[in-house]
Amino acid sequence: NMKKQLDKKSKFLSYVLRHQPEAIGITLNIEGWVDINKLILQANQHGESMTRELIEEVIKTSDKKRFTISDDGLKIRAAQGHSTQQVKINHIEQVPPKFLYHGTATRFIDSIKEKGLIASDRHYVHLSIDEQTANTVGKRHGKPIVLKVKSLLMYQQGFKFYLADNGVWLTGTVPNTFLIFD
Ligand code: HQG
């Protein structure tokens, strides 16, 4: 069905626009952008049928606004979540709210208590504006648990925060002293 097909296309776009552009022979610029026609051509050449209409449908039906089309309509990028070293988006620094939230799985808690939040493969730790969103993020990894982050205090102590195109908050690391576990 259509929903399933769009979901598959969305995953494919996440894969090539965040993690493995080389898998279909495309290069992202430093801000993460690639020419849409080039992406479509290369996807089709690598066995993934793709059209402009499909891309627009993925974007329109996505709850999370994972992808952004440039104002001139020619380029596309992932808003956040990158692991590829080709990309280093110059996100604009923002003052965070007093608290942000991080959804994770209970099995990670001991390690997080010890090491704080670390980005591992991705460029940033991802934080959510509300507990409900964080809970959804956490479910992807197992039994969810939501941690409260003292984001404004971090900011006041010199940590940088960025807000991605799609409303996800990003920061480098969160030391355990800024985490509330209850
Ligand atoms: C955990 C989705 C052990 C961290 C979401 C997370 C998000 C630790 C996992 C975006 C740790 C990394 C990103 C430590 C952090 N010890 N585990 N010290 N520090 N972790 O997928 O935040 O659907 O890279 O809690 O909505 O889950 O892809 O990050 O569980 O915005 O568009 O290590 O992905 O968006 O997992 O999710 P991820 P995330 P999309």
Side-chain angles (χ1 to χ4, degrees):
N1 67 21
M2 193 63 182
K3 164 105 178 54
K4 225 171 165 182
Q5 194 202 4
L6 290 177
D7 205 51
K8 183 168 168 284
K9 297 300 169 192
S10 179
K11 293 222 159 81
F12 171 79
L13 289 172
S14 287
Y15 177 65
V16 297
L17 295 175
R18 288 173 174 172
H19 308 299
Q20 298 284 334
E22 60 275 14
I24 57 164
I26 58 170
T27 306
L28 311 179
N29 76 9
I30 196 90
E31 286 289 318
W33 299 107
V34 64
D35 183 87
I36 294 176
N37 288 333
K38 176 80 177 171
L39 169 69
I40 291 169
L41 189 78
Q42 293 298 113
N44 285 308
Q45 279 189 4
H46 287 79
E48 185 81 24
S49 66
M50 189 60 72
T51 62
R52 173 105 197 179
E53 291 67 36
L54 271 172
I55 291 174
E56 283 175 0
E57 202 58 28
V58 166
I59 291 175
K60 205 169 75 189
T61 56
S62 152
D63 43 337
K64 300 194 58 185
K65 302 200 181 74
R66 290 185 180 89
F67 313 107
T68 312
I69 290 184
S70 58
D71 290 336
D72 62 12
L74 298 178
K75 296 191 282 314
I76 185 170
R77 75 173 176 189
Q80 38 73 216
H82 298 83
S83 66
T84 173
Q85 297 301 317
Q86 289 183 13
V87 174
K88 198 174 185 314
I89 297 182
N90 188 21
H91 290 290
I92 299 164
E93 226 189 299
Q94 305 268 351
V95 182
K98 185 157 192 219
F99 297 110
L100 286 167
Y101 300 88
H102 180 81
T104 188
T106 51
R107 64 195 162 95
F108 296 146
I109 286 300
D110 286 347
S111 170
I112 291 172
K113 278 188 171 154
E114 189 188 327
K115 297 178 195 152
L117 292 174
I118 49 183
S120 59
D121 291 348
R122 302 199 202 239
H123 298 172
Y124 297 99
V125 168
H126 292 226
L127 302 172
S128 309
I129 193 76
D130 57 56
E131 293 179 68
Q132 198 197 320
T133 311
N135 192 58
T136 308
V137 173
K139 274 186 193 156
R140 293 161 51 252
H141 300 287
K143 187 168 183 281
I145 176 166
V146 173
L147 309 179
K148 202 167 170 181
V149 177
K150 297 177 190 170
S151 42
L152 186 59
L153 186 64
M154 283 180 70
Y155 176 81
Q156 287 162 346
Q157 298 192 12
F159 290 85
K160 293 188 193 319
F161 286 80
Y162 311 93
L163 184 56
D165 296 345
N166 64 347
V168 173
W169 283 89
L170 307 170
T171 195
T173 57
V174 179
N176 55 14
T177 49
F178 297 102
L179 291 169
I180 300 168
F181 286 92
D182 55 33

